[in-house]
Amino acid sequence: MAPTEATILSTFLLPPAHLPAIISLQAFTDLFPRSQQSSPQVKALYRDLQHQRARIVDAVTHNIASEVQRGNTQQRAVVRERRKAETEEQDDEVDIEYALFGPSSNLDAPKSHSLTSILPELELAASQVEEEIRRLEDEAETLLGEIHATVGGLSDIRYGRLANSNLPEQVVDGLERLEASCRAT
């Protein structure tokens, strides 16, 4: 059986949720300096942290229940809309009659688009997609050119042909300054 939304959320959000499952009082006390470990405030702090953690766990549990309920409501709405869409079959002949003769008393209410109104919009959308494709191809060519230039520059470094002949000295000077600043701090 497939896991439900509630079991998935509970499995991944709650365990180990309670503070003693994460860190014991002794381990929590060991985190403090030795002079403070015997203080009763450490135990009070642990109890307060435990209480806050329990409140958070309760809130998460409540939120999981709310989310499951909201998911069930959404699922019912989707099923309802699917059933409604199945009962309302699309009739192309009615659309054509409406486009040719206009509204009549025995036809359904007009849809948002007719055959004549959708064609220009589809053509516009197709031209916009084609333009976007052209723009992306131009961008890809530009990026490819930049990549080739970078690879060429790296190839020059590999074979020792540098455009800046002072680069090795500049790199050594920069490294020496970095070393000096590291030693100073």
Side-chain angles (χ1 to χ4, degrees):
M1 184 167 107
T4 64
E5 183 179 11
T7 57
I8 291 172
L9 291 173
S10 297
T11 301
F12 289 104
L13 295 178
L14 294 178
H18 299 287
L19 189 60
I22 298 170
I23 187 169
S24 67
L25 176 60
Q26 182 59 42
F28 183 76
T29 305
D30 291 342
L31 295 174
F32 289 89
R34 289 227 185 271
S35 62
Q36 300 296 320
Q37 287 180 355
S38 61
S39 173
Q41 291 178 341
V42 172
K43 189 173 183 176
L45 181 63
Y46 181 80
R47 298 293 177 223
D48 184 51
L49 187 61
Q50 192 175 17
H51 177 69
Q52 289 178 14
R53 183 98 177 147
R55 285 186 24 211
I56 291 171
V57 168
D58 290 343
V60 168
T61 304
H62 179 266
N63 289 344
I64 288 172
S66 298
E67 187 64 30
V68 167
Q69 184 179 7
R70 197 169 80 211
N72 290 338
T73 304
Q74 288 175 345
Q75 188 176 15
R76 285 192 300 271
V78 167
V79 169
R80 194 176 317 117
E81 288 299 318
R82 281 187 187 158
R83 288 181 185 155
K84 181 179 175 185
E86 288 173 0
T87 59
E88 295 176 359
E89 292 182 23
Q90 184 74 14
D91 191 1
D92 294 336
E93 290 178 331
V94 171
D95 291 339
I96 293 171
E97 286 180 13
Y98 180 79
L100 293 174
F101 305 114
S104 68
S105 61
N106 62 349
L107 294 177
D108 293 338
K111 307 267 190 272
S112 60
H113 283 289
S114 67
L115 184 61
T116 56
S117 70
I118 196 72
L119 287 177
E121 290 191 27
L122 288 175
E123 289 172 357
L124 176 65
S127 66
Q128 288 174 343
V129 168
E130 290 170 356
E131 179 61 33
E132 181 71 13
I133 289 171
R134 277 192 292 274
R135 189 185 63 74
L136 289 173
E137 287 174 347
D138 291 343
E139 186 178 331
E141 287 178 25
T142 304
L143 289 173
L144 186 61
E146 291 175 4
I147 289 171
H148 285 301
T150 302
V151 169
L154 292 174
S155 177
D156 289 346
I157 291 173
R158 180 178 181 188
Y159 296 113
R161 296 179 302 223
L162 300 175
N164 182 359
S165 60
N166 295 332
L167 185 63
E169 293 84 21
Q170 292 173 349
V171 170
V172 170
D173 290 341
L175 289 173
E176 287 174 352
R177 282 189 305 231
L178 178 63
E179 184 181 10
S181 68
C182 288
R183 287 185 182 161
T185 56

